[in-house]
Amino acid sequence: MSLNTGLSDEDRKVVAEGLSRVLADTYTLYLKTQNFHWNVTGPHFGPLHNLFEEQYNELRLAADEIAERIRALGHFAPGSFAQFAELKSVAEAPTSPPNAEEMIQQLTGDNETLSRVARSVQTTAENAGDEVTIGMMVDRMSVHEKAAWMLRAHL
């Protein structure tokens, strides 16, 4: 059965490809933030441990929402580490956990990266007339810009 939601097949494909990049970055940042939550040490352990947990929980929920939007557009969502590795622009966590300040710097930069990726997908969605994805990307930019601000406040 074909989809007829008012978006062309090509527009749905291009938007889904962009959302796949957002999903890969979101999942990578989720895993990295959870890693840092587990491994943060130092005098600011408590506040950072809690902040990282709040942020990775938000990312976990966002990943599901993004994947479901890709499916609603009639495409399959990437769901393996191999696929995410090909699509992501956020670097994975280093094998040896960095100090707390470096964790904050990395996560700040990663949230800013995700905001930029979401902004590019918003433009793609605007060109396709996909208001649902536009709204989702505006929401994602807001979350990532606030997360980066909250992280920077700890430096």
Side-chain angles (χ1 to χ4, degrees):
M1 177 185 276
S2 66
L3 273 168
N4 185 10
T5 61
L7 298 175
S8 72
D9 290 345
E10 182 59 27
D11 284 342
R12 286 187 294 103
K13 177 180 182 273
V14 172
V15 171
E17 288 170 350
L19 286 170
S20 293
R21 292 191 324 273
V22 174
L23 178 59
D25 282 336
T26 299
Y27 203 87
T28 302
L29 184 54
Y30 158 73
L31 186 60
K32 185 176 192 176
T33 306
Q34 189 173 48
N35 176 323
F36 289 175
H37 162 80
W38 292 330
N39 293 303
V40 68
T41 60
H44 303 289
F45 167 81
L48 290 177
H49 183 77
N50 292 336
L51 178 61
F52 294 165
E53 182 174 20
E54 179 183 314
Q55 290 183 352
Y56 80 69
N57 281 327
E58 193 285 329
L59 289 161
R60 179 181 52 81
L61 295 173
D64 190 57
E65 182 181 345
I66 295 161
E68 289 177 356
R69 180 64 189 149
I70 294 167
R71 292 298 295 135
L73 290 168
H75 293 270
F76 289 105
S80 70
F81 289 116
Q83 288 174 305
F84 292 156
E86 290 179 18
L87 294 166
K88 70 179 179 60
S89 52
V90 169
E92 293 181 26
T95 54
S96 296
N99 65 41
E101 184 174 328
E102 179 61 25
M103 287 177 176
I104 294 166
Q105 290 172 346
Q106 285 186 33
L107 294 178
T108 299
D110 294 339
N111 274 283
E112 290 171 347
T113 294
L114 242 164
S115 183
R116 289 190 305 273
V117 172
R119 191 173 309 281
S120 74
V121 174
Q122 177 194 351
T123 300
T124 301
E126 286 172 353
N127 292 337
D130 180 358
E131 289 84 5
V132 175
T133 301
I134 293 167
M136 180 182 284
M137 292 302 98
V138 168
D139 291 345
R140 297 311 311 150
M141 287 183 287
S142 177
V143 166
H144 294 296
E145 290 173 11
K146 183 176 180 179
W149 162 56
M150 292 287 189
L151 289 159
R152 268 192 307 278
H154 286 272
L155 292 175

